[in-house]
Amino acid sequence: MDRVIFHCDLNSFYASVELLDHPELRHLPVAVCGDPESRHGIILAKNEPAKGFGVKTAETIWQARKKCPDLVLLPAHHGKYRDFSRRVNRIYQEYTDLVEPFGIDESWLDLTGTLHLFGKNPRALADHLRDRLRGELGLTISVGVSFNKVFAKLGSDYKKPDATTLITRENFRSLVWPLPVSDLLYVGRAAVQTFEKFGIRTIGDLARFDREALFSLLGKNGAQLSDFANGLDHSPVARASQLEPPKSVGNGLTFSRNLQGAEEIRAGITQLSDQVAARLRRHHMKCQGVSLAIRDPSFRDISRQQRLSAPTCLAREIAQTAMDLARQCWNLDSPVRALTVTAIHLLPEEEAGAQMDLLAGEREAKRQRLERLEGTMDAIRAKYGAGAIVPASAPLDSGRERHAPPPGGLNSYLEES
Ligand SMILES: [Mg+2]
Protein backbone atom coordinates (compact mmCIF):
# COMPACT_ATOMS: atom_id res chain seq x y z
CA MET A 1 0.00 0.00 0.00
CA ASP A 2 1.21 3.51 -0.76
CA ARG A 3 2.27 5.76 2.07
CA VAL A 4 0.29 8.89 2.98
CA ILE A 5 2.79 11.71 3.58
CA PHE A 6 1.90 15.32 4.35
CA HIS A 7 4.32 18.21 4.12
CA CYS A 8 2.94 21.16 6.07
CA ASP A 9 4.49 24.57 5.53
CA LEU A 10 3.50 27.57 7.66
CA ASN A 11 2.93 30.49 5.28
CA SER A 12 5.10 33.59 5.79
CA PHE A 13 5.64 32.24 9.28
CA TYR A 14 7.46 35.09 11.10
CA ALA A 15 5.32 37.74 9.41
CA SER A 16 2.11 35.84 10.17
CA VAL A 17 3.02 35.54 13.86
CA GLU A 18 3.85 39.26 14.09
CA LEU A 19 0.60 40.21 12.33
CA LEU A 20 -1.41 38.38 15.00
CA ASP A 21 -0.58 41.39 17.18
CA HIS A 22 -1.12 43.91 14.36
CA PRO A 23 -4.27 42.87 12.46
CA GLU A 24 -4.63 46.43 11.17
CA LEU A 25 -1.44 45.91 9.07
CA ARG A 26 -2.57 42.66 7.50
CA HIS A 27 -3.32 44.14 4.08
CA LEU A 28 -0.24 46.37 3.92
CA PRO A 29 3.19 45.16 2.77
CA VAL A 30 4.94 44.00 5.95
CA ALA A 31 8.37 42.49 6.54
CA VAL A 32 10.06 41.16 9.66
CA CYS A 33 13.69 42.00 10.21
CA GLY A 34 16.30 41.85 12.92
CA ASP A 35 16.87 45.56 13.32
CA PRO A 36 14.36 47.89 11.63
CA GLU A 37 16.61 50.89 12.40
CA SER A 38 19.52 49.62 10.30
CA ARG A 39 19.59 50.00 6.51
CA HIS A 40 21.77 46.89 6.50
CA GLY A 41 19.31 44.85 8.54
CA ILE A 42 18.20 41.68 6.79
CA ILE A 43 14.64 40.85 5.73
CA LEU A 44 13.74 37.64 7.58
CA ALA A 45 10.17 37.23 6.33
CA LYS A 46 7.48 39.10 4.42
CA ASN A 47 3.72 38.81 4.02
CA GLU A 48 1.91 38.26 0.73
CA PRO A 49 1.42 41.98 -0.12
CA ALA A 50 5.18 42.55 0.37
CA LYS A 51 5.89 39.54 -1.84
CA GLY A 52 3.80 41.27 -4.47
CA PHE A 53 6.33 44.13 -4.49
CA GLY A 54 9.17 41.65 -5.02
CA VAL A 55 10.50 41.87 -1.47
CA LYS A 56 12.75 38.87 -0.83
CA THR A 57 14.00 37.07 2.26
CA ALA A 58 17.71 37.68 3.07
CA GLU A 59 17.97 40.96 1.17
CA THR A 60 18.77 44.15 3.08
CA ILE A 61 16.13 46.60 4.24
CA TRP A 62 17.70 49.12 1.89
CA GLN A 63 17.18 46.82 -1.13
CA ALA A 64 13.62 46.01 -0.08
CA ARG A 65 12.70 49.69 0.40
CA LYS A 66 13.86 50.49 -3.12
CA LYS A 67 11.17 48.14 -4.42
CA CYS A 68 8.56 48.98 -1.80
CA PRO A 69 9.00 52.43 -0.21
CA ASP A 70 5.95 51.94 2.07
CA LEU A 71 7.14 48.62 3.44
CA VAL A 72 6.19 48.30 7.13
CA LEU A 73 9.03 46.82 9.18
CA LEU A 74 8.45 44.84 12.35
CA PRO A 75 11.20 43.56 14.66
CA ALA A 76 11.61 39.79 15.04
CA HIS A 77 10.61 37.90 18.20
CA HIS A 78 12.38 34.59 17.93
CA GLY A 79 11.14 33.19 21.22
CA LYS A 80 7.59 33.63 19.98
CA TYR A 81 8.32 31.78 16.73
CA ARG A 82 9.83 28.86 18.62
CA ASP A 83 6.79 28.74 20.87
CA PHE A 84 4.34 28.74 17.93
CA SER A 85 6.45 26.15 16.13
CA ARG A 86 6.19 23.84 19.16
CA ARG A 87 2.43 24.37 19.40
CA VAL A 88 1.97 23.61 15.72
CA ASN A 89 4.06 20.44 15.89
CA ARG A 90 2.15 19.35 18.98
CA ILE A 91 -1.07 19.61 16.99
CA TYR A 92 0.48 17.55 14.17
CA GLN A 93 1.41 14.92 16.75
CA GLU A 94 -2.26 14.42 17.58
CA TYR A 95 -2.56 12.79 14.14
CA THR A 96 0.62 10.66 14.05
CA ASP A 97 3.77 10.12 16.08
CA LEU A 98 5.74 10.35 12.83
CA VAL A 99 6.28 14.11 12.64
CA GLU A 100 9.59 15.32 11.30
CA PRO A 101 10.22 19.07 11.53
CA PHE A 102 12.27 20.56 8.70
CA GLY A 103 13.32 23.94 9.97
CA ILE A 104 11.07 25.99 12.24
CA ASP A 105 8.07 26.28 9.92
CA GLU A 106 7.85 22.98 8.01
CA SER A 107 7.13 19.39 9.00
CA TRP A 108 6.57 16.07 7.32
CA LEU A 109 3.82 13.85 8.73
CA ASP A 110 3.46 10.16 7.90
CA LEU A 111 -0.24 9.31 8.24
CA THR A 112 -0.11 5.88 6.60
CA GLY A 113 -0.87 4.03 9.82
CA THR A 114 -3.29 6.48 11.44
CA LEU A 115 -5.36 8.01 8.63
CA HIS A 116 -8.19 5.47 9.16
CA LEU A 117 -8.66 6.72 12.74
CA PHE A 118 -9.97 10.07 11.51
CA GLY A 119 -12.57 8.86 9.01
CA LYS A 120 -11.34 11.20 6.30
CA ASN A 121 -9.54 10.79 3.01
CA PRO A 122 -6.07 12.40 2.78
CA ARG A 123 -7.29 15.63 1.21
CA ALA A 124 -10.10 16.05 3.72
CA LEU A 125 -7.69 15.49 6.61
CA ALA A 126 -5.26 18.06 5.17
CA ASP A 127 -8.12 20.56 4.81
CA HIS A 128 -9.18 19.81 8.38
CA LEU A 129 -5.63 20.47 9.62
CA ARG A 130 -5.58 23.81 7.82
CA ASP A 131 -8.93 24.79 9.33
CA ARG A 132 -7.73 23.80 12.78
CA LEU A 133 -4.52 25.83 12.65
CA ARG A 134 -6.36 28.84 11.24
CA GLY A 135 -9.03 28.58 13.94
CA GLU A 136 -6.83 27.77 16.95
CA LEU A 137 -3.67 29.72 16.18
CA GLY A 138 -4.64 32.18 13.46
CA LEU A 139 -1.91 30.79 11.21
CA THR A 140 -2.22 29.30 7.74
CA ILE A 141 -0.35 26.37 6.24
CA SER A 142 -0.06 24.96 2.77
CA VAL A 143 -0.12 21.18 2.70
CA GLY A 144 1.36 18.83 0.12
CA VAL A 145 -0.10 15.33 0.19
CA SER A 146 1.73 12.57 -1.61
CA PHE A 147 3.16 9.06 -1.47
CA ASN A 148 6.69 10.23 -0.69
CA LYS A 149 8.45 13.09 1.10
CA VAL A 150 9.99 14.77 -1.95
CA PHE A 151 6.64 15.11 -3.74
CA ALA A 152 4.83 16.12 -0.54
CA LYS A 153 7.32 18.96 -0.18
CA LEU A 154 6.74 20.00 -3.79
CA GLY A 155 3.01 19.91 -3.09
CA SER A 156 3.20 22.38 -0.21
CA ASP A 157 5.10 24.79 -2.48
CA TYR A 158 2.75 24.27 -5.40
CA LYS A 159 -0.11 26.37 -4.11
CA LYS A 160 -0.01 28.78 -1.19
CA PRO A 161 -1.08 30.30 1.11
CA ASP A 162 -3.66 28.13 2.87
CA ALA A 163 -4.04 25.42 0.23
CA THR A 164 -3.92 21.63 -0.14
CA THR A 165 -2.24 20.01 -3.14
CA LEU A 166 -2.44 16.30 -3.86
CA ILE A 167 0.36 14.75 -5.86
CA THR A 168 -0.57 11.21 -6.78
CA ARG A 169 0.87 8.41 -8.88
CA GLU A 170 -1.73 9.39 -11.48
CA ASN A 171 -1.13 13.15 -11.66
CA PHE A 172 2.55 13.63 -10.83
CA ARG A 173 3.64 13.61 -14.47
CA SER A 174 1.25 16.42 -15.38
CA LEU A 175 1.71 18.35 -12.10
CA VAL A 176 5.36 17.92 -11.12
CA TRP A 177 7.17 17.33 -14.38
CA PRO A 178 6.60 20.83 -15.89
CA LEU A 179 8.20 22.48 -12.81
CA PRO A 180 11.77 23.82 -13.03
CA VAL A 181 14.30 21.21 -11.92
CA SER A 182 15.54 23.57 -9.18
CA ASP A 183 12.19 23.08 -7.38
CA LEU A 184 13.18 19.50 -6.57
CA LEU A 185 14.53 18.99 -3.05
CA TYR A 186 18.34 18.61 -2.96
CA VAL A 187 18.87 20.07 -6.43
CA GLY A 188 21.40 22.82 -5.72
CA ARG A 189 22.78 25.54 -7.92
CA ALA A 190 25.70 23.37 -9.09
CA ALA A 191 23.39 20.55 -10.19
CA VAL A 192 21.18 23.05 -12.03
CA GLN A 193 24.22 24.27 -13.98
CA THR A 194 25.27 20.73 -14.86
CA PHE A 195 21.72 19.83 -15.90
CA GLU A 196 21.53 22.97 -18.03
CA LYS A 197 24.41 21.72 -20.17
CA PHE A 198 22.41 18.62 -21.00
CA GLY A 199 19.17 20.45 -21.70
CA ILE A 200 17.56 19.36 -18.43
CA ARG A 201 15.37 22.29 -17.36
CA THR A 202 12.28 20.72 -15.85
CA ILE A 203 11.77 17.90 -13.38
CA GLY A 204 10.25 15.97 -16.30
CA ASP A 205 13.45 16.47 -18.35
CA LEU A 206 15.35 14.98 -15.43
CA ALA A 207 12.92 12.09 -15.02
CA ARG A 208 13.16 11.17 -18.70
CA PHE A 209 16.95 11.56 -18.91
CA ASP A 210 18.89 8.31 -19.04
CA ARG A 211 19.54 7.23 -15.45
CA GLU A 212 22.86 5.54 -16.30
CA ALA A 213 24.07 8.72 -17.97
CA LEU A 214 23.11 10.73 -14.87
CA PHE A 215 24.99 8.22 -12.76
CA SER A 216 28.18 8.65 -14.78
CA LEU A 217 27.67 12.42 -14.77
CA LEU A 218 26.96 13.00 -11.07
CA GLY A 219 27.53 9.64 -9.43
CA LYS A 220 25.01 8.22 -6.98
CA ASN A 221 23.73 11.78 -6.55
CA GLY A 222 22.56 11.94 -10.14
CA ALA A 223 20.92 8.52 -10.02
CA GLN A 224 19.07 9.42 -6.84
CA LEU A 225 17.79 12.72 -8.21
CA SER A 226 16.56 10.81 -11.25
CA ASP A 227 14.69 8.48 -8.88
CA PHE A 228 13.18 11.44 -6.99
CA ALA A 229 11.95 12.95 -10.26
CA ASN A 230 10.27 9.63 -11.01
CA GLY A 231 8.57 9.44 -7.63
CA LEU A 232 10.97 6.82 -6.26
CA ASP A 233 11.78 8.36 -2.85
CA HIS A 234 11.50 5.83 -0.05
CA SER A 235 13.07 7.87 2.77
CA PRO A 236 11.10 7.55 6.02
CA VAL A 237 9.57 10.34 8.09
CA ALA A 238 11.50 10.45 11.37
CA ARG A 239 9.79 10.04 14.71
CA ALA A 240 9.51 13.35 16.58
CA SER A 241 11.23 11.91 19.65
CA GLN A 242 14.32 11.15 17.55
CA LEU A 243 14.77 14.85 16.99
CA GLU A 244 15.26 16.18 20.52
CA PRO A 245 17.75 19.02 20.22
CA PRO A 246 21.22 18.14 21.53
CA LYS A 247 23.09 20.23 24.11
CA SER A 248 26.41 19.71 22.41
CA VAL A 249 27.71 17.93 19.34
CA GLY A 250 31.13 16.28 19.29
CA ASN A 251 33.10 14.13 16.89
CA GLY A 252 36.31 12.32 17.79
CA LEU A 253 38.82 10.16 15.94
CA THR A 254 41.66 7.96 17.03
CA PHE A 255 44.23 8.00 14.27
CA SER A 256 45.94 4.85 13.04
CA ARG A 257 49.25 6.66 13.27
CA ASN A 258 50.07 9.64 15.43
CA LEU A 259 49.59 13.08 13.95
CA GLN A 260 52.50 15.43 14.18
CA GLY A 261 53.05 19.01 13.16
CA ALA A 262 50.64 21.86 12.46
CA GLU A 263 49.60 20.63 9.01
CA GLU A 264 48.59 17.13 10.11
CA ILE A 265 46.80 18.40 13.19
CA ARG A 266 44.99 20.99 11.12
CA ALA A 267 43.91 18.27 8.68
CA GLY A 268 42.50 16.19 11.52
CA ILE A 269 40.70 19.17 13.05
CA THR A 270 39.30 20.18 9.66
CA GLN A 271 37.82 16.75 9.06
CA LEU A 272 36.21 16.60 12.51
CA SER A 273 34.91 20.18 12.30
CA ASP A 274 33.31 19.34 9.00
CA GLN A 275 31.35 16.50 10.62
CA VAL A 276 30.42 18.59 13.65
CA ALA A 277 29.18 21.46 11.48
CA ALA A 278 27.09 19.09 9.36
CA ARG A 279 25.45 17.67 12.48
CA LEU A 280 24.78 21.16 13.86
CA ARG A 281 23.00 22.09 10.68
CA ARG A 282 21.03 18.87 10.67
CA HIS A 283 19.73 19.85 14.11
CA HIS A 284 19.20 23.48 13.00
CA MET A 285 21.54 24.61 15.76
CA LYS A 286 24.49 26.94 16.01
CA CYS A 287 27.26 26.88 18.61
CA GLN A 288 28.66 29.71 20.66
CA GLY A 289 31.73 27.82 21.74
CA VAL A 290 34.16 25.12 20.65
CA SER A 291 35.98 22.57 22.75
CA LEU A 292 39.04 20.62 21.64
CA ALA A 293 40.33 17.47 23.34
CA ILE A 294 43.74 16.05 22.49
CA ARG A 295 45.01 12.63 23.56
CA ASP A 296 48.71 11.84 23.48
CA PRO A 297 50.20 8.39 22.69
CA SER A 298 50.28 7.48 26.39
CA PHE A 299 46.54 8.21 26.60
CA ARG A 300 46.86 11.43 28.55
CA ASP A 301 44.06 13.81 27.69
CA ILE A 302 43.97 17.56 27.64
CA SER A 303 41.01 19.71 26.70
CA ARG A 304 40.32 23.39 26.29
CA GLN A 305 37.31 25.40 25.25
CA GLN A 306 36.66 28.84 23.89
CA ARG A 307 33.67 31.12 23.42
CA LEU A 308 32.96 32.46 19.94
CA SER A 309 32.26 36.10 19.16
CA ALA A 310 29.21 35.09 17.08
CA PRO A 311 27.21 31.85 16.84
CA THR A 312 28.16 29.63 13.92
CA CYS A 313 27.45 26.37 12.15
CA LEU A 314 30.32 26.83 9.71
CA ALA A 315 33.01 24.14 9.58
CA ARG A 316 35.75 26.63 8.81
CA GLU A 317 34.97 28.79 11.83
CA ILE A 318 34.78 25.80 14.16
CA ALA A 319 38.06 24.46 12.74
CA GLN A 320 39.75 27.85 13.10
CA THR A 321 38.78 28.06 16.77
CA ALA A 322 39.84 24.46 17.44
CA MET A 323 43.18 25.14 15.76
CA ASP A 324 43.68 28.25 17.91
CA LEU A 325 43.00 26.10 20.97
CA ALA A 326 45.52 23.51 19.80
CA ARG A 327 48.16 26.22 19.43
CA GLN A 328 47.43 27.53 22.92
CA CYS A 329 47.47 24.24 24.82
CA TRP A 330 49.68 21.92 22.79
CA ASN A 331 53.18 21.80 21.43
CA LEU A 332 52.26 21.12 17.80
CA ASP A 333 55.38 19.00 17.30
CA SER A 334 54.29 16.51 19.97
CA PRO A 335 52.53 13.39 18.64
CA VAL A 336 48.72 13.28 18.82
CA ARG A 337 46.89 9.97 19.11
CA ALA A 338 43.28 11.20 19.11
CA LEU A 339 41.32 14.41 18.61
CA THR A 340 37.80 15.40 19.55
CA VAL A 341 36.11 18.59 18.36
CA THR A 342 32.89 19.52 20.16
CA ALA A 343 30.48 22.34 19.46
CA ILE A 344 29.20 23.67 22.81
CA HIS A 345 26.77 26.33 24.10
CA LEU A 346 24.27 25.47 21.35
CA LEU A 347 21.25 27.54 20.44
CA PRO A 348 18.57 27.17 17.78
CA GLU A 349 19.62 28.71 14.47
CA GLU A 350 16.65 31.07 14.33
CA GLU A 351 17.69 32.52 17.67
CA ALA A 352 21.26 32.79 16.45
CA GLY A 353 19.85 34.52 13.39
CA ALA A 354 18.58 37.33 15.56
CA GLN A 355 22.08 37.89 16.89
CA MET A 356 23.56 37.73 13.44
CA ASP A 357 21.29 40.50 12.22
CA LEU A 358 23.28 42.86 14.34
CA LEU A 359 26.25 42.28 12.09
CA ALA A 360 26.72 44.39 9.02
CA GLY A 361 24.84 43.32 5.91
CA GLU A 362 27.80 42.38 3.78
CA ARG A 363 29.42 40.11 6.32
CA GLU A 364 26.05 38.47 6.97
CA ALA A 365 25.45 37.93 3.25
CA LYS A 366 28.81 36.21 2.95
CA ARG A 367 28.06 34.00 5.94
CA GLN A 368 24.70 33.07 4.47
CA ARG A 369 26.35 32.11 1.19
CA LEU A 370 28.81 29.91 3.07
CA GLU A 371 26.02 28.37 5.13
CA ARG A 372 24.05 27.59 1.98
CA LEU A 373 27.15 26.04 0.43
CA GLU A 374 27.91 23.89 3.45
CA GLY A 375 24.19 23.07 3.71
CA THR A 376 24.22 21.78 0.14
CA MET A 377 27.12 19.52 1.04
CA ASP A 378 25.08 18.18 3.98
CA ALA A 379 22.19 17.33 1.70
CA ILE A 380 24.46 15.38 -0.59
CA ARG A 381 26.09 13.59 2.33
CA ALA A 382 22.72 12.77 3.86
CA LYS A 383 21.68 11.10 0.66
CA TYR A 384 24.91 9.59 -0.54
CA GLY A 385 26.97 8.91 2.55
CA ALA A 386 29.75 10.76 4.32
CA GLY A 387 32.31 9.78 1.70
CA ALA A 388 30.53 11.71 -1.04
CA ILE A 389 32.39 14.89 -0.24
CA VAL A 390 35.74 15.03 1.48
CA PRO A 391 37.18 18.38 2.53
CA ALA A 392 40.28 19.27 0.55
CA SER A 393 42.56 19.05 3.56
CA ALA A 394 41.67 15.59 4.85
CA PRO A 395 44.52 13.25 3.97
CA LEU A 396 43.92 11.11 7.05
CA ASP A 397 41.26 8.82 5.78
CA SER A 398 43.34 5.66 5.60
CA GLY A 399 42.96 3.30 8.49
CA ARG A 400 41.19 5.66 10.84
CA GLU A 401 38.67 4.45 13.33
CA ARG A 402 35.95 6.02 15.38
CA HIS A 403 36.88 6.08 19.00
CA ALA A 404 34.82 5.88 22.12
CA PRO A 405 34.53 8.98 24.29
CA PRO A 406 37.74 9.50 26.24
CA PRO A 407 37.51 8.25 29.85
CA GLY A 408 36.69 10.49 32.80
CA GLY A 409 38.34 13.83 33.23
CA LEU A 410 37.28 14.96 29.77
CA ASN A 411 34.09 16.70 30.65
CA SER A 412 34.09 18.52 27.34
CA TYR A 413 33.14 15.35 25.51
CA LEU A 414 29.37 15.11 25.39
CA GLU A 415 27.95 13.14 22.52
CA GLU A 416 24.69 14.93 21.78
CA SER A 417 23.88 14.94 25.46
MG1 LIG B 1 7.05 28.54 5.34
Side-chain angles (χ1 to χ4, degrees):
M1 190 189 81
D2 261 343
R3 293 186 293 166
V4 179
I5 312 283
F6 286 10
H7 183 266
C8 301
D9 187 352
L10 284 151
N11 306 126
S12 310
F13 179 46
Y14 292 1
S16 303
V17 170
E18 295 301 333
L19 286 168
L20 292 174
D21 294 333
H22 301 280
E24 74 282 3
L25 300 176
R26 195 163 284 279
H27 300 289
L28 302 175
V30 173
V32 177
C33 53
D35 178 9
E37 305 305 318
S38 159
R39 275 159 38 92
H40 297 295
I42 301 287
I43 303 291
L44 300 174
K46 70 275 171 192
N47 67 352
E48 289 293 324
K51 246 176 239 180
F53 284 92
V55 173
K56 293 199 166 59
T57 300
E59 68 185 359
T60 61
I61 290 171
W62 178 74
Q63 288 170 313
R65 277 249 159 92
K66 273 204 300 192
K67 290 179 264 188
C68 181
D70 296 326
L71 186 65
V72 179
L73 296 172
L74 298 173
H77 296 92
H78 292 278
K80 241 195 231 178
Y81 311 145
R82 259 199 319 289
D83 182 46
F84 270 99
S85 178
R86 266 193 295 265
R87 285 157 73 181
V88 168
N89 278 292
R90 230 175 282 140
I91 290 177
Y92 296 157
Q93 282 167 29
E94 291 177 31
Y95 298 87
T96 170
D97 60 336
L98 296 172
V99 175
E100 179 183 346
F102 191 61
I104 194 166
D105 64 339
E106 303 177 19
S107 295
W108 277 289
L109 284 61
D110 185 337
L111 292 142
T112 315
T114 50
L115 182 70
H116 68 278
L117 299 173
F118 305 99
K120 293 185 196 305
N121 66 33
R123 178 188 287 279
L125 187 66
D127 292 345
H128 159 79
L129 254 180
R130 289 197 291 114
D131 288 345
R132 225 191 124 178
L133 289 188
R134 205 187 314 105
E136 288 180 28
L137 300 176
L139 297 175
T140 64
I141 52 174
S142 46
V143 187
V145 179
S146 193
F147 54 94
N148 66 54
K149 287 168 77 178
V150 169
F151 281 1
K153 168 112 172 104
L154 273 172
S156 71
D157 275 338
Y158 193 81
K159 193 171 173 218
K160 49 191 178 185
D162 204 8
T164 302
T165 302
L166 243 70
I167 296 179
T168 65
R169 288 197 186 275
E170 289 69 43
N171 74 6
F172 80 83
R173 287 173 195 82
S174 60
L175 220 74
V176 169
W177 282 9
L179 300 173
V181 72
S182 55
D183 282 4
L184 194 65
L185 192 58
Y186 303 121
V187 171
R189 206 174 297 172
V192 168
Q193 280 169 4
T194 308
F195 289 155
E196 188 107 305
K197 289 187 200 127
F198 294 86
I200 300 173
R201 292 199 175 78
T202 65
I203 296 176
D205 292 340
L206 177 63
R208 285 182 294 253
F209 204 84
D210 183 62
R211 190 177 182 277
E212 289 305 308
L214 283 167
F215 186 87
S216 40
L217 211 59
L218 291 166
K220 264 162 105 181
N221 193 350
Q224 188 121 39
L225 290 175
S226 159
D227 290 344
F228 289 169
N230 281 293
L232 301 168
D233 160 34
H234 305 291
S235 57
V237 174
R239 203 168 294 273
S241 58
Q242 292 169 346
L243 296 160
E244 282 296 302
K247 293 208 170 56
S248 71
V249 167
N251 276 68
L253 281 177
T254 297
F255 300 100
S256 54
R257 63 171 178 80
N258 294 331
L259 305 186
Q260 217 156 356
E263 278 322 295
E264 290 194 357
I265 291 172
R266 182 193 303 281
I269 282 176
T270 300
Q271 184 175 333
L272 291 168
S273 302
D274 205 53
Q275 296 166 357
V276 167
R279 285 170 62 197
L280 277 179
R281 289 191 291 268
R282 197 158 63 236
H283 289 290
H284 304 285
M285 306 288 276
K286 291 189 178 187
C287 68
Q288 302 175 97
V290 171
S291 145
L292 175 73
I294 301 177
R295 173 174 289 180
D296 76 7
S298 48
F299 288 84
R300 272 191 303 261
D301 295 314
I302 179 170
S303 81
R304 291 288 185 278
Q305 46 180 262
Q306 189 171 308
R307 277 258 171 194
L308 299 170
S309 55
T312 190
C313 60
L314 288 176
R316 63 201 76 197
E317 294 183 352
I318 293 168
Q320 185 60 51
T321 307
M323 197 60 201
D324 291 346
L325 286 167
R327 280 209 192 80
Q328 288 161 27
C329 74
W330 193 257
N331 171 3
L332 295 182
D333 293 323
S334 306
V336 170
R337 174 103 180 99
L339 287 173
T340 300
V341 174
T342 306
I344 55 176
H345 308 310
L346 306 191
L347 79 176
E349 65 184 7
E350 72 277 4
E351 199 173 309
Q355 299 191 21
M356 294 314 301
D357 295 329
L358 299 172
L359 293 179
E362 198 171 311
R363 193 173 148 207
E364 171 62 10
K366 186 180 172 204
R367 288 181 66 100
Q368 290 189 353
R369 277 200 303 278
L370 286 172
E371 283 175 16
R372 274 199 295 275
L373 174 69
E374 292 196 0
T376 307
M377 290 163 45
D378 296 344
I380 294 171
R381 264 191 216 97
K383 284 290 157 193
Y384 315 112
I389 301 171
V390 179
S393 52
L396 303 160
D397 46 16
S398 60
R400 65 172 198 258
E401 48 179 330
R402 277 190 179 280
H403 81 99
L410 255 194
N411 58 11
S412 67
Y413 191 101
L414 295 159
E415 180 78 6
E416 300 210 355
S417 59

PDB file of all heavy atoms in Angstrom, residues 9-12 105-106, ligand 1:
ATOM      1  N   ASP A   9       3.595  23.420   5.551  1.00  0.00           N
ATOM      2  CA  ASP A   9       4.488  24.574   5.532  1.00  0.00           C
ATOM      3  C   ASP A   9       3.714  25.800   6.024  1.00  0.00           C
ATOM      4  O   ASP A   9       2.721  26.203   5.414  1.00  0.00           O
ATOM      5  CB  ASP A   9       4.988  24.784   4.087  1.00  0.00           C
ATOM      6  CG  ASP A   9       6.053  25.864   3.997  1.00  0.00           C
ATOM      7  OD1 ASP A   9       6.291  26.557   5.009  1.00  0.00           O
ATOM      8  OD2 ASP A   9       6.631  26.012   2.906  1.00  0.00           O
ATOM      9  N   LEU A  10       4.130  26.350   7.145  1.00  0.00           N
ATOM     10  CA  LEU A  10       3.498  27.569   7.658  1.00  0.00           C
ATOM     11  C   LEU A  10       3.789  28.716   6.696  1.00  0.00           C
ATOM     12  O   LEU A  10       4.938  28.941   6.324  1.00  0.00           O
ATOM     13  CB  LEU A  10       4.046  27.894   9.050  1.00  0.00           C
ATOM     14  CG  LEU A  10       3.496  27.023  10.181  1.00  0.00           C
ATOM     15  CD1 LEU A  10       4.514  26.884  11.304  1.00  0.00           C
ATOM     16  CD2 LEU A  10       2.192  27.598  10.708  1.00  0.00           C
ATOM     17  N   ASN A  11       2.760  29.438   6.281  1.00  0.00           N
ATOM     18  CA  ASN A  11       2.927  30.486   5.283  1.00  0.00           C
ATOM     19  C   ASN A  11       3.458  31.770   5.912  1.00  0.00           C
ATOM     20  O   ASN A  11       2.922  32.228   6.918  1.00  0.00           O
ATOM     21  CB  ASN A  11       1.583  30.763   4.588  1.00  0.00           C
ATOM     22  CG  ASN A  11       0.958  29.499   3.998  1.00  0.00           C
ATOM     23  OD1 ASN A  11      -0.189  29.167   4.285  1.00  0.00           O
ATOM     24  ND2 ASN A  11       1.717  28.772   3.194  1.00  0.00           N
ATOM     25  N   SER A  12       4.491  32.325   5.305  1.00  0.00           N
ATOM     26  CA  SER A  12       5.097  33.585   5.793  1.00  0.00           C
ATOM     27  C   SER A  12       5.168  33.584   7.324  1.00  0.00           C
ATOM     28  O   SER A  12       4.666  34.496   7.982  1.00  0.00           O
ATOM     29  CB  SER A  12       4.281  34.795   5.348  1.00  0.00           C
ATOM     30  OG  SER A  12       4.030  34.741   3.978  1.00  0.00           O
ATOM     31  N   ASP A 105       9.434  26.079  10.426  1.00  0.00           N
ATOM     32  CA  ASP A 105       8.070  26.283   9.919  1.00  0.00           C
ATOM     33  C   ASP A 105       7.561  25.182   8.993  1.00  0.00           C
ATOM     34  O   ASP A 105       6.517  25.332   8.376  1.00  0.00           O
ATOM     35  CB  ASP A 105       7.963  27.647   9.231  1.00  0.00           C
ATOM     36  CG  ASP A 105       8.832  27.744   7.997  1.00  0.00           C
ATOM     37  OD1 ASP A 105       9.794  26.961   7.887  1.00  0.00           O
ATOM     38  OD2 ASP A 105       8.557  28.591   7.141  1.00  0.00           O
ATOM     39  N   GLU A 106       8.289  24.073   8.878  1.00  0.00           N
ATOM     40  CA  GLU A 106       7.847  22.981   8.010  1.00  0.00           C
ATOM     41  C   GLU A 106       7.957  21.647   8.737  1.00  0.00           C
ATOM     42  O   GLU A 106       8.852  21.470   9.551  1.00  0.00           O
ATOM     43  CB  GLU A 106       8.736  22.889   6.754  1.00  0.00           C
ATOM     44  CG  GLU A 106       8.792  24.162   5.937  1.00  0.00           C
ATOM     45  CD  GLU A 106       9.747  24.038   4.751  1.00  0.00           C
ATOM     46  OE1 GLU A 106      10.081  22.907   4.362  1.00  0.00           O
ATOM     47  OE2 GLU A 106      10.172  25.083   4.245  1.00  0.00           O
TER      48      GLU A 106
HETATM   49 MG    MG B   1       7.049  28.535   5.340  1.00  0.00          MG
END
